[in-house]
Amino acid sequence: MILASKSPRRKEILEDMGFNLKIEGAEIEEISDEKELTLKIMDIARKKTFSIAEKHPTEYVVGADTIVEVDGEIIGKPKNREEAFKTLKLLSGRKHNVITAYSFINISKNIDITNYNISEVFFRELDENMIKWYIETGEPMDKAGSYGIQGKGAAFVKKINGDFFSVMGFPIGDFIAKLNEVGISLEEIKNI
């Protein structure tokens, strides 16, 4: 299977489940004309996946996109340390949504699945020293919402309502359920 992403977290989640992956990052402009947030993120995830599936029509291709949403605003990856600080200050002591959409395509088998997962994440109150310490680790710089739940960012999380793996970058349980719906069993995973 081809993973249309260079995300080490997605790679880890899928390989831990038994998938044999080839990595081919999708180089697309991550924009969508969709108005509704979930439709927008599903559209972007599908575009990423389809851009790779077009090049490999007989291969299974999976791709995903994750965003953080707070007060209706999309919080992407920070451009710099100042933006990471501002984002973490915004998330401090409150709830935000993490939305991960994924797409699974095999053109030759006429498989084209796109779905999403929303999880609520509640942050503890963060003081400026905690935020500065975290930014100094470098961890927030390549992550939506400026934190990684699977790393040092876990210290900020009070609780989650939803799917930990979706917050990490890929809702593996939902994905496996969708594969079962199209007739791909857990035993077959290592072969796709």
Side-chain angles (χ1 to χ4, degrees), residues 3-18:
L3 174 59
S5 169
K6 292 180 181 168
S7 163
R9 291 155 299 282
R10 291 189 183 117
K11 179 180 184 286
E12 177 187 347
I13 292 167
L14 289 160
E15 285 182 341
D16 283 352
M17 188 54 64

Side-chain angles (χ1 to χ4, degrees), residues 76-91:
K77 296 174 184 173
K79 292 179 180 65
N80 53 46
R81 289 169 176 255
E82 293 75 29
E83 200 170 285
F85 186 90
K86 183 179 164 192
T87 297
L88 291 166
K89 196 84 174 134
L90 173 69
L91 300 180

Side-chain angles (χ1 to χ4, degrees), residues 152-170:
K152 293 173 180 67
F156 300 160
V157 178
K158 191 174 187 176
K159 74 173 184 172
I160 300 172
N161 289 338
D163 181 342
F164 173 85
F165 291 102
S166 184
V167 178
M168 193 172 154
F170 196 83

Side-chain angles (χ1 to χ4, degrees), residues 1-5 14 21-26 45-64 102-107 111-114 170 175 179 192:
M1 182 165 74
I2 299 172
L3 174 59
S5 169
L14 289 160
L21 297 177
K22 292 176 253 177
I23 309 299
E24 190 171 333
R46 189 181 179 286
K47 284 177 180 175
K48 284 181 180 180
T49 309
F50 190 75
S51 73
I52 302 301
E54 273 185 314
K55 298 176 194 173
H56 308 279
T58 61
E59 298 265 5
Y60 291 98
V61 182
V62 65
Y102 65 86
S103 206
F104 180 67
I105 299 173
N106 182 304
I107 293 171
I111 295 172
D112 193 336
I113 299 167
T114 302
F170 196 83
F175 178 63
L179 292 187
I192 68 166

